[in-house]
Amino acid sequence: MLGWVIFLGQPTPVSARLRNFLTRVTTPLVKVGDWIPTVRSRRQLAQQNDDLRTEVNILRQRERTNRETARENRRLERLLEMKRRLGFPTLAARVIGRDASNWWKSIQIDRGEQDGVRENMAVVSADGLVGKTIAVSRGEARVLLLLDPDCKVSALLEESREPGVAQGVTAQTRCEMLYVNRAAKIKPGEAVLTSGLGGIFPKGIHIGSVLEAGLDPQSGMYQRIHLEPAADFRRLEEVLVILRAE
């Protein structure tokens, strides 16, 4: 073996041809040897990238969950503050459904007879009046929204103390106040509250604010006031049922 090494090291034509031959034979083997770790490294990197993507997705989902929890906590804090202001026994409920045919007019909540809910109980959000219960089963109840023309509420202008009746407007997402004295001085932005008459809605719940007022074209005897509802009916998620109004 040593003789072959010495021979190949000699500067002769034969030894040069042998060196060229051995180089051509062994070079591919060297390249393959270099390629195997590279393939293994790429596979490892690809796996690491997959693992990192999975971890990032998990962290993003946790972040979304944390943000949603924070939003829910803020809503519940505002609802709790409304509960304190009311001074009546109330029951918190979640909105679990909306009227499929016209979802502006009624909602379904996850509280029913077994929780003490009965028909004709007032329902409020953190912002103001939502409506009243109209159909109650063991574990659920349907709430007729203030936006429905059939939901009529005895109302009172906060500053002028003028009475009237608030109700929804057909095919509209607002409400109005009817039977207001035609001589009453009404200011845009003035708050409208429940008057407490009728036995369903306690006095002092915010119904909405005055947008504009004018003479009722049908009767000509009263003013008709267009109201901006206090509650945001498009974003109702949690509500309070007033269990007793007296």
Side-chain angles (χ1 to χ4, degrees), residues 9-245:
Q10 298 299 317
T12 64
V14 176
S15 64
R17 285 197 297 271
L18 283 173
R19 283 197 302 272
N20 290 337
F21 172 75
L22 291 174
T23 299
R24 289 196 300 271
V25 171
T26 59
T27 296
L29 296 177
V30 172
K31 290 182 178 179
V32 169
D34 292 339
W35 177 73
I36 291 174
T38 302
V39 172
R40 185 182 298 114
S41 177
R42 288 178 180 176
R43 287 177 179 172
Q44 291 173 344
L45 287 174
Q47 184 61 51
Q48 290 174 356
N49 287 337
D50 289 342
D51 294 342
L52 287 173
R53 277 193 291 269
T54 300
E55 185 175 356
V56 167
N57 290 335
I58 292 173
L59 292 174
R60 285 175 176 170
Q61 182 57 48
R62 287 179 182 172
E63 184 181 5
R64 284 191 291 267
T65 300
N66 291 338
R67 286 199 303 265
E68 184 60 26
T69 300
R71 293 189 189 102
E72 183 180 26
N73 286 340
R74 287 193 294 270
R75 293 196 307 269
L76 293 177
E77 286 173 1
R78 296 185 64 234
L79 206 62
L80 182 59
E81 179 58 32
M82 170 61 86
K83 178 183 178 72
R84 295 192 188 103
R85 292 200 306 267
L86 287 171
F88 297 105
T90 60
L91 179 70
R94 293 185 183 277
V95 177
I96 58 173
R98 300 181 186 271
D99 190 336
S101 59
N102 191 348
W103 65 275
W104 292 104
K105 308 304 183 185
S106 69
I107 57 173
Q108 197 81 7
I109 59 175
D110 66 348
R111 299 287 193 168
E113 291 179 351
Q114 64 182 4
D115 306 295
V117 178
R118 302 292 182 265
E119 290 185 8
N120 289 322
M121 285 185 167
V123 179
V124 300
S125 70
D127 298 308
L129 187 63
V130 169
K132 64 178 181 178
T133 57
I134 55 171
V136 183
S137 64
R138 177 173 173 78
E140 298 179 1
R142 182 162 293 278
V143 178
L144 186 68
L145 300 179
L146 176 63
L147 297 175
D148 194 294
D150 289 333
C151 187
K152 293 176 170 55
V153 183
S154 181
L156 191 70
L157 285 156
E158 184 177 37
E159 296 180 26
S160 67
R161 312 310 290 179
E162 291 288 344
V165 175
Q167 64 180 47
V169 181
T170 303
Q172 297 288 332
T173 58
R174 58 180 175 82
C175 53
E176 59 188 7
M177 186 174 175
L178 307 177
Y179 310 117
V180 180
N181 189 337
R182 63 181 295 168
K185 303 297 184 182
I186 301 169
K187 302 175 183 178
E190 184 174 357
V192 175
L193 311 175
T194 54
S195 69
L197 302 178
I200 296 177
F201 304 98
K203 186 176 182 178
I205 299 175
H206 193 193
I207 295 174
S209 302
V210 174
L211 291 173
E212 59 180 355
L215 199 62
D216 189 333
Q218 295 180 356
S219 68
M221 298 176 60
Y222 302 98
Q223 291 191 68
R224 180 189 294 259
I225 304 174
H226 299 295
L227 303 178
E228 179 68 29
D232 188 346
F233 294 95
R234 295 172 298 179
R235 294 181 173 86
L236 288 176
E237 296 185 60
E238 298 90 14
V239 297
L240 288 175
V241 181
I242 300 177
L243 297 178
R244 188 181 63 220

